[in-house]
Amino acid sequence: MASLLLPSPTSSSTSPPSSLSSSLFSRSSLNHRCLRANAPRSRICLRNFVKCSLSEPLNGKPCVPILNDGSLSKFLASKRLESAVHRSNNRLKIFSGTANPSLSQEIAWYMGLDLGRIKIKRFADGEIYVQLQESVRGCDVYLVQPTCPPANENLMELLIMIDACRRASAKTITATQGRESIAAKLVANLITEAGADRVLACDLHSGQSMGYFDIPVDHVYCQPVILDYLASKTIRSNDLVVVSPDVGGVARARAFAKKLSDAPLAIVDKRRYGHNLAEVMNLIGDVKGKVAVMVDDMIDTAGTIAKGAALLHDEGAREVYACSTHAVFSPPAVERLSSGLFQEVIITNTIPVMEKNYFPQLTVLSVANLMGETIWRVHDDCSVSSIFQ
Protein backbone atom coordinates (compact mmCIF):
# COMPACT_ATOMS: atom_id res chain seq x y z
CA MET A 1 0.00 0.00 0.00
CA ALA A 2 1.12 3.54 -0.60
CA SER A 3 -0.14 6.79 0.80
CA LEU A 4 -0.40 10.28 -0.63
CA LEU A 5 -0.24 13.23 1.73
CA LEU A 6 -0.74 16.88 0.88
CA PRO A 7 0.86 18.96 3.65
CA SER A 8 -0.78 22.10 4.89
CA PRO A 9 -0.08 25.24 2.83
CA THR A 10 0.87 26.91 6.10
CA SER A 11 3.65 24.41 6.77
CA SER A 12 6.84 25.98 8.03
CA SER A 13 9.03 23.66 5.95
CA THR A 14 11.24 25.16 3.28
CA SER A 15 9.44 25.73 -0.02
CA PRO A 16 10.32 23.21 -2.75
CA PRO A 17 12.11 24.26 -5.94
CA SER A 18 10.09 26.19 -8.48
CA SER A 19 9.98 23.13 -10.73
CA LEU A 20 8.01 21.25 -8.12
CA SER A 21 4.42 21.64 -7.02
CA SER A 22 3.80 23.65 -3.86
CA SER A 23 2.51 20.46 -2.25
CA LEU A 24 4.86 17.59 -1.50
CA PHE A 25 3.62 14.17 -2.55
CA SER A 26 5.16 11.21 -0.78
CA ARG A 27 4.76 7.49 -1.26
CA SER A 28 5.46 5.07 1.56
CA SER A 29 5.21 1.31 1.87
CA LEU A 30 2.45 -0.14 4.00
CA ASN A 31 5.10 -2.16 5.82
CA HIS A 32 6.73 1.01 7.09
CA ARG A 33 5.66 2.14 10.56
CA CYS A 34 5.14 5.78 9.66
CA LEU A 35 4.16 7.96 6.71
CA ARG A 36 7.22 9.82 5.47
CA ALA A 37 5.56 13.02 4.37
CA ASN A 38 8.74 15.14 4.42
CA ALA A 39 11.25 13.00 2.61
CA PRO A 40 14.64 14.68 1.96
CA ARG A 41 14.55 16.67 -1.24
CA SER A 42 17.68 14.96 -2.50
CA ARG A 43 15.83 11.66 -2.68
CA ILE A 44 13.06 12.91 -4.98
CA CYS A 45 13.58 11.49 -8.45
CA LEU A 46 13.27 14.11 -11.22
CA ARG A 47 14.41 12.04 -14.21
CA ASN A 48 10.95 11.93 -15.79
CA PHE A 49 9.68 15.15 -14.34
CA VAL A 50 7.86 17.46 -16.76
CA LYS A 51 6.87 20.99 -15.83
CA CYS A 52 3.35 22.09 -16.64
CA SER A 53 3.29 25.61 -18.07
CA LEU A 54 0.27 27.52 -16.86
CA SER A 55 -0.87 31.00 -17.69
CA GLU A 56 -0.38 33.87 -15.28
CA PRO A 57 -2.70 34.07 -12.25
CA LEU A 58 -5.87 36.04 -12.84
CA ASN A 59 -6.69 38.65 -10.16
CA GLY A 60 -4.36 36.91 -7.75
CA LYS A 61 -6.03 33.51 -8.26
CA PRO A 62 -3.97 30.74 -9.87
CA CYS A 63 -5.38 29.16 -13.01
CA VAL A 64 -6.43 25.55 -12.48
CA PRO A 65 -5.65 23.22 -15.41
CA ILE A 66 -8.81 21.15 -14.80
CA LEU A 67 -11.83 23.28 -15.61
CA ASN A 68 -15.35 23.16 -14.21
CA ASP A 69 -16.70 21.33 -17.23
CA GLY A 70 -14.20 18.52 -16.74
CA SER A 71 -11.99 19.54 -19.68
CA LEU A 72 -8.19 19.53 -19.44
CA SER A 73 -5.47 21.67 -20.89
CA LYS A 74 -3.87 20.23 -24.02
CA PHE A 75 -0.79 19.24 -22.04
CA LEU A 76 -2.68 17.38 -19.32
CA ALA A 77 -5.15 15.83 -21.75
CA SER A 78 -2.31 14.17 -23.67
CA LYS A 79 -0.70 12.95 -20.44
CA ARG A 80 -4.02 11.57 -19.22
CA LEU A 81 -4.46 9.70 -22.50
CA GLU A 82 -1.00 8.17 -22.12
CA SER A 83 -1.79 7.09 -18.58
CA ALA A 84 -5.08 5.51 -19.57
CA VAL A 85 -3.61 3.63 -22.56
CA HIS A 86 -0.17 2.52 -21.37
CA ARG A 87 -0.68 1.92 -17.66
CA SER A 88 -2.50 -0.85 -15.85
CA ASN A 89 -4.77 0.45 -13.11
CA ASN A 90 -6.16 -2.86 -11.85
CA ARG A 91 -4.00 -2.75 -8.73
CA LEU A 92 -4.02 0.99 -8.05
CA LYS A 93 -6.71 2.66 -5.99
CA ILE A 94 -7.16 6.25 -4.83
CA PHE A 95 -9.26 7.16 -1.81
CA SER A 96 -10.21 10.65 -0.75
CA GLY A 97 -10.49 12.11 2.72
CA THR A 98 -12.96 14.86 3.49
CA ALA A 99 -10.47 17.75 3.55
CA ASN A 100 -10.33 18.33 -0.22
CA PRO A 101 -12.53 15.87 -2.16
CA SER A 102 -12.58 18.01 -5.30
CA LEU A 103 -8.80 17.75 -5.67
CA SER A 104 -9.00 14.00 -5.14
CA GLN A 105 -11.61 13.76 -7.91
CA GLU A 106 -9.46 15.79 -10.26
CA ILE A 107 -6.42 13.58 -9.59
CA ALA A 108 -8.45 10.43 -10.23
CA TRP A 109 -9.98 11.91 -13.40
CA TYR A 110 -6.57 12.81 -14.77
CA MET A 111 -5.31 9.28 -14.10
CA GLY A 112 -8.34 7.71 -15.76
CA LEU A 113 -9.53 6.13 -12.49
CA ASP A 114 -12.61 6.23 -10.31
CA LEU A 115 -12.16 7.23 -6.69
CA GLY A 116 -12.29 4.29 -4.32
CA ARG A 117 -15.49 3.84 -2.36
CA ILE A 118 -14.97 4.84 1.26
CA LYS A 119 -17.36 5.84 4.05
CA ILE A 120 -16.17 8.61 6.37
CA LYS A 121 -18.46 10.19 8.91
CA ARG A 122 -18.49 11.83 12.33
CA PHE A 123 -20.35 10.42 15.29
CA ALA A 124 -22.53 12.79 17.28
CA ASP A 125 -19.56 13.59 19.56
CA GLY A 126 -17.25 14.31 16.62
CA GLU A 127 -15.39 10.99 16.63
CA ILE A 128 -14.25 9.91 13.16
CA TYR A 129 -15.52 6.67 11.59
CA VAL A 130 -13.88 5.18 8.47
CA GLN A 131 -14.91 2.12 6.49
CA LEU A 132 -13.57 0.97 3.13
CA GLN A 133 -16.39 -0.23 0.90
CA GLU A 134 -14.30 -2.22 -1.54
CA SER A 135 -11.41 -4.67 -1.38
CA VAL A 136 -7.84 -3.36 -1.48
CA ARG A 137 -6.05 -6.67 -1.08
CA GLY A 138 -3.02 -6.82 -3.36
CA CYS A 139 -3.48 -3.19 -4.44
CA ASP A 140 -1.37 -0.06 -4.18
CA VAL A 141 -3.54 2.41 -2.28
CA TYR A 142 -3.11 6.17 -2.35
CA LEU A 143 -4.88 8.40 0.15
CA VAL A 144 -5.41 12.08 -0.66
CA GLN A 145 -5.84 14.22 2.44
CA PRO A 146 -4.37 17.71 3.01
CA THR A 147 -3.41 18.56 6.58
CA CYS A 148 -4.99 21.97 6.23
CA PRO A 149 -7.06 23.60 9.01
CA PRO A 150 -8.50 22.08 11.09
CA ALA A 151 -5.11 20.38 10.99
CA ASN A 152 -5.57 18.08 13.99
CA GLU A 153 -8.89 16.72 12.75
CA ASN A 154 -7.67 16.19 9.18
CA LEU A 155 -4.48 14.50 10.37
CA MET A 156 -6.39 12.13 12.65
CA GLU A 157 -8.75 11.30 9.79
CA LEU A 158 -5.72 10.45 7.63
CA LEU A 159 -4.28 8.19 10.33
CA ILE A 160 -7.58 6.34 10.69
CA MET A 161 -7.83 5.97 6.90
CA ILE A 162 -4.33 4.45 6.84
CA ASP A 163 -5.30 2.07 9.63
CA ALA A 164 -8.44 0.99 7.77
CA CYS A 165 -6.45 0.32 4.59
CA ARG A 166 -3.78 -1.60 6.47
CA ARG A 167 -6.33 -3.84 8.12
CA ALA A 168 -8.27 -4.36 4.90
CA SER A 169 -5.14 -5.44 3.00
CA ALA A 170 -3.72 -7.62 5.79
CA LYS A 171 -6.10 -10.52 5.21
CA THR A 172 -8.87 -11.75 2.97
CA ILE A 173 -12.04 -9.84 3.82
CA THR A 174 -15.34 -11.68 3.50
CA ALA A 175 -17.54 -9.12 5.26
CA THR A 176 -17.75 -5.41 4.58
CA GLN A 177 -17.56 -4.62 8.29
CA GLY A 178 -14.04 -6.09 8.36
CA ARG A 179 -12.72 -3.06 6.49
CA GLU A 180 -13.33 -0.71 9.43
CA SER A 181 -10.49 0.97 11.23
CA ILE A 182 -9.93 -0.08 14.84
CA ALA A 183 -9.35 3.42 16.14
CA ALA A 184 -8.81 2.25 19.74
CA LYS A 185 -5.78 0.22 18.66
CA LEU A 186 -4.47 3.13 16.61
CA VAL A 187 -4.76 5.49 19.60
CA ALA A 188 -3.08 2.92 21.84
CA ASN A 189 -0.15 2.73 19.43
CA LEU A 190 0.10 6.53 19.24
CA ILE A 191 0.14 6.87 23.04
CA THR A 192 2.81 4.19 23.34
CA GLU A 193 4.98 5.56 20.54
CA ALA A 194 4.75 9.05 22.05
CA GLY A 195 6.59 7.72 25.10
CA ALA A 196 3.99 6.78 27.74
CA ASP A 197 5.02 3.82 29.90
CA ARG A 198 1.73 3.35 31.79
CA VAL A 199 -1.93 4.22 31.22
CA LEU A 200 -4.66 4.92 33.76
CA ALA A 201 -8.13 4.82 32.16
CA CYS A 202 -11.62 5.44 33.55
CA ASP A 203 -14.46 3.11 32.58
CA LEU A 204 -13.35 2.11 29.10
CA HIS A 205 -16.29 1.65 26.75
CA SER A 206 -14.87 -1.76 25.88
CA GLY A 207 -12.73 -3.55 28.45
CA GLN A 208 -10.97 -5.39 25.62
CA SER A 209 -9.32 -2.08 24.71
CA MET A 210 -6.78 -2.72 27.46
CA GLY A 211 -5.38 -5.50 25.28
CA TYR A 212 -4.49 -3.00 22.56
CA PHE A 213 -1.76 -1.51 24.72
CA ASP A 214 1.77 -2.92 24.92
CA ILE A 215 2.29 -1.12 28.23
CA PRO A 216 0.60 -1.61 31.65
CA VAL A 217 -3.00 -0.35 31.90
CA ASP A 218 -4.88 0.40 35.13
CA HIS A 219 -8.64 0.35 34.56
CA VAL A 220 -10.39 2.57 37.10
CA TYR A 221 -14.10 1.94 37.69
CA CYS A 222 -16.09 4.96 38.83
CA GLN A 223 -19.00 2.90 40.17
CA PRO A 224 -17.97 3.37 43.84
CA VAL A 225 -18.58 7.12 43.55
CA ILE A 226 -22.12 6.60 42.21
CA LEU A 227 -22.82 3.78 44.68
CA ASP A 228 -21.86 5.97 47.64
CA TYR A 229 -24.25 8.65 46.42
CA LEU A 230 -27.13 6.21 45.91
CA ALA A 231 -26.52 4.76 49.40
CA SER A 232 -27.10 8.20 50.86
CA LYS A 233 -30.60 8.37 49.36
CA THR A 234 -33.65 7.07 51.18
CA ILE A 235 -34.52 4.23 48.82
CA ARG A 236 -35.43 0.87 50.36
CA SER A 237 -33.28 -1.95 49.04
CA ASN A 238 -36.27 -4.19 48.30
CA ASP A 239 -37.70 -1.43 46.05
CA LEU A 240 -34.61 -1.29 43.83
CA VAL A 241 -34.02 -2.95 40.49
CA VAL A 242 -30.89 -2.33 38.42
CA VAL A 243 -31.49 -2.11 34.67
CA SER A 244 -29.02 -2.62 31.85
CA PRO A 245 -29.99 -0.42 28.86
CA ASP A 246 -28.75 -3.09 26.44
CA VAL A 247 -27.49 -6.66 26.39
CA GLY A 248 -23.88 -5.50 26.04
CA GLY A 249 -24.00 -3.79 29.43
CA VAL A 250 -25.30 -6.76 31.43
CA ALA A 251 -21.96 -7.54 33.08
CA ARG A 252 -21.59 -3.91 34.19
CA ALA A 253 -25.16 -3.78 35.54
CA ARG A 254 -24.80 -7.12 37.32
CA ALA A 255 -21.66 -5.94 39.14
CA PHE A 256 -23.45 -2.72 40.06
CA ALA A 257 -26.50 -4.60 41.37
CA LYS A 258 -24.35 -6.93 43.46
CA LYS A 259 -22.85 -3.98 45.32
CA LEU A 260 -26.26 -2.32 45.66
CA SER A 261 -27.62 -4.74 48.26
CA ASP A 262 -27.63 -7.49 45.62
CA ALA A 263 -30.60 -5.87 43.87
CA PRO A 264 -32.48 -7.76 41.12
CA LEU A 265 -31.52 -7.20 37.50
CA ALA A 266 -33.57 -6.30 34.43
CA ILE A 267 -32.39 -5.98 30.83
CA VAL A 268 -33.69 -3.80 28.01
CA ASP A 269 -33.52 -5.72 24.74
CA LYS A 270 -33.05 -3.45 21.77
CA ARG A 271 -31.99 -3.60 18.15
CA ARG A 272 -29.52 -1.03 16.82
CA TYR A 273 -30.02 -0.07 13.19
CA GLY A 274 -27.17 2.42 12.94
CA HIS A 275 -24.70 4.46 14.98
CA ASN A 276 -26.42 6.77 17.49
CA LEU A 277 -29.76 5.11 16.65
CA ALA A 278 -31.56 2.57 18.84
CA GLU A 279 -34.99 1.01 19.09
CA VAL A 280 -36.24 -0.71 22.21
CA MET A 281 -37.90 -4.06 21.61
CA ASN A 282 -38.58 -5.76 24.93
CA LEU A 283 -37.87 -5.83 28.67
CA ILE A 284 -36.45 -8.86 30.43
CA GLY A 285 -37.30 -8.72 34.15
CA ASP A 286 -39.88 -7.17 36.46
CA VAL A 287 -39.89 -3.44 37.30
CA LYS A 288 -43.52 -2.92 38.27
CA GLY A 289 -43.76 -0.63 41.31
CA LYS A 290 -39.96 -0.51 41.57
CA VAL A 291 -37.34 2.22 41.54
CA ALA A 292 -35.35 1.42 38.40
CA VAL A 293 -31.69 2.43 38.27
CA MET A 294 -30.32 2.37 34.73
CA VAL A 295 -26.52 1.95 34.57
CA ASP A 296 -24.28 2.70 31.60
CA ASP A 297 -20.69 3.77 31.04
CA MET A 298 -21.53 6.78 28.86
CA ILE A 299 -24.43 8.88 27.64
CA ASP A 300 -23.93 10.26 24.15
CA THR A 301 -27.17 11.31 22.43
CA ALA A 302 -29.23 9.60 25.17
CA GLY A 303 -31.34 7.78 22.58
CA THR A 304 -30.78 4.34 24.10
CA ILE A 305 -31.29 5.30 27.73
CA ALA A 306 -34.30 7.56 27.02
CA LYS A 307 -36.15 4.87 25.06
CA GLY A 308 -35.29 2.41 27.78
CA ALA A 309 -36.71 4.75 30.44
CA ALA A 310 -39.93 5.16 28.45
CA LEU A 311 -40.26 1.37 28.30
CA LEU A 312 -39.68 1.08 32.06
CA HIS A 313 -42.48 3.56 32.74
CA ASP A 314 -44.75 1.61 30.40
CA GLU A 315 -43.92 -1.54 32.38
CA GLY A 316 -44.93 0.14 35.66
CA ALA A 317 -41.69 1.45 37.15
CA ARG A 318 -42.36 3.99 39.92
CA GLU A 319 -39.22 6.06 39.34
CA VAL A 320 -36.28 5.85 36.93
CA TYR A 321 -32.74 6.95 37.70
CA ALA A 322 -29.97 7.17 35.09
CA CYS A 323 -26.37 6.58 36.22
CA SER A 324 -23.38 7.03 33.93
CA THR A 325 -19.67 7.79 34.22
CA HIS A 326 -19.07 9.76 31.03
CA ALA A 327 -21.51 12.54 30.07
CA VAL A 328 -20.77 13.17 26.38
CA PHE A 329 -24.17 14.84 25.92
CA SER A 330 -24.23 15.23 22.15
CA PRO A 331 -27.42 16.94 20.93
CA PRO A 332 -30.26 16.21 21.58
CA ALA A 333 -29.18 14.46 24.81
CA VAL A 334 -30.15 17.29 27.17
CA GLU A 335 -33.65 17.55 25.72
CA ARG A 336 -34.19 13.80 26.11
CA LEU A 337 -32.80 13.62 29.65
CA SER A 338 -34.79 16.62 30.90
CA SER A 339 -38.09 15.55 29.34
CA GLY A 340 -39.48 14.14 32.60
CA LEU A 341 -38.55 10.48 32.07
CA PHE A 342 -35.95 10.52 34.83
CA GLN A 343 -36.21 11.28 38.51
CA GLU A 344 -32.49 12.04 38.49
CA VAL A 345 -29.58 11.78 36.06
CA ILE A 346 -26.38 10.97 37.97
CA ILE A 347 -23.04 11.42 36.20
CA THR A 348 -19.40 12.07 37.09
CA ASN A 349 -17.06 14.86 36.03
CA THR A 350 -14.69 12.74 33.92
CA ILE A 351 -16.00 14.92 31.08
CA PRO A 352 -16.76 18.57 31.87
CA VAL A 353 -20.41 19.51 31.38
CA MET A 354 -20.97 22.94 29.90
CA GLU A 355 -23.20 25.24 31.90
CA LYS A 356 -25.70 25.46 29.05
CA ASN A 357 -26.24 21.70 29.40
CA TYR A 358 -27.31 21.86 33.06
CA PHE A 359 -30.89 20.85 33.83
CA PRO A 360 -32.81 20.38 37.11
CA GLN A 361 -32.56 16.58 37.26
CA LEU A 362 -28.77 16.56 36.73
CA THR A 363 -26.36 15.56 39.52
CA VAL A 364 -22.59 15.71 38.89
CA LEU A 365 -20.28 13.74 41.20
CA SER A 366 -16.52 14.26 41.40
CA VAL A 367 -14.07 11.41 40.82
CA ALA A 368 -11.09 13.47 42.01
CA ASN A 369 -10.62 11.51 45.24
CA LEU A 370 -10.83 8.18 43.44
CA MET A 371 -8.33 9.24 40.79
CA GLY A 372 -6.00 10.78 43.35
CA GLU A 373 -6.00 7.60 45.44
CA THR A 374 -5.30 5.51 42.34
CA ILE A 375 -2.35 7.69 41.33
CA TRP A 376 -0.90 7.46 44.86
CA ARG A 377 -1.17 3.66 44.75
CA VAL A 378 0.50 3.46 41.37
CA HIS A 379 3.26 5.76 42.60
CA ASP A 380 3.79 3.66 45.74
CA ASP A 381 3.58 0.32 43.87
CA CYS A 382 0.48 -0.66 45.83
CA SER A 383 -2.58 -2.59 44.65
CA VAL A 384 -5.05 -0.62 42.55
CA SER A 385 -7.66 -3.36 42.17
CA SER A 386 -8.18 -3.54 45.94
CA ILE A 387 -9.95 -0.16 45.76
CA PHE A 388 -12.85 -1.75 43.93
CA GLN A 389 -13.18 -4.94 45.99
Side-chain angles (χ1 to χ4, degrees), residues 66 134 234 326 355:
I66 298 180
E134 60 183 81
T234 56
H326 309 301
E355 189 173 350

Short mmCIF file of all heavy atoms in Angstrom, two decimals, residues 66 134 234 326 355:
data_model
loop_
_atom_site.label_atom_id
_atom_site.label_comp_id
_atom_site.label_asym_id
_atom_site.label_seq_id
_atom_site.Cartn_x
_atom_site.Cartn_y
_atom_site.Cartn_z
N ILE A 66 -7.57 21.90 -14.61
CA ILE A 66 -8.81 21.15 -14.80
C ILE A 66 -9.97 22.11 -14.59
O ILE A 66 -10.14 22.68 -13.53
CB ILE A 66 -8.89 19.98 -13.81
CG1 ILE A 66 -7.73 19.01 -14.07
CG2 ILE A 66 -10.21 19.25 -13.94
CD1 ILE A 66 -7.73 17.82 -13.16
N GLU A 134 -14.75 -1.34 -0.49
CA GLU A 134 -14.30 -2.22 -1.54
C GLU A 134 -12.98 -2.84 -1.12
O GLU A 134 -12.30 -2.33 -0.22
CB GLU A 134 -14.14 -1.48 -2.87
CG GLU A 134 -13.15 -0.34 -2.85
CD GLU A 134 -13.10 0.38 -4.18
OE1 GLU A 134 -13.99 1.23 -4.42
OE2 GLU A 134 -12.19 0.08 -4.97
N THR A 234 -32.70 7.87 50.40
CA THR A 234 -33.65 7.07 51.18
C THR A 234 -34.49 6.19 50.26
O THR A 234 -35.68 6.41 50.06
CB THR A 234 -34.56 7.99 52.01
OG1 THR A 234 -35.21 8.91 51.12
CG2 THR A 234 -33.76 8.74 53.06
N HIS A 326 -19.49 8.75 32.01
CA HIS A 326 -19.07 9.76 31.03
C HIS A 326 -20.29 10.45 30.41
O HIS A 326 -21.11 9.82 29.74
CB HIS A 326 -18.22 9.13 29.93
CG HIS A 326 -17.09 8.30 30.44
ND1 HIS A 326 -16.10 8.82 31.24
CD2 HIS A 326 -16.79 6.99 30.27
CE1 HIS A 326 -15.23 7.86 31.54
NE2 HIS A 326 -15.63 6.74 30.96
N GLU A 355 -22.12 24.67 31.11
CA GLU A 355 -23.20 25.24 31.90
C GLU A 355 -24.52 25.25 31.14
O GLU A 355 -25.59 25.09 31.73
CB GLU A 355 -22.83 26.65 32.36
CG GLU A 355 -23.79 27.26 33.36
CD GLU A 355 -23.29 28.58 33.92
OE1 GLU A 355 -22.12 28.91 33.67
OE2 GLU A 355 -24.08 29.26 34.59
#
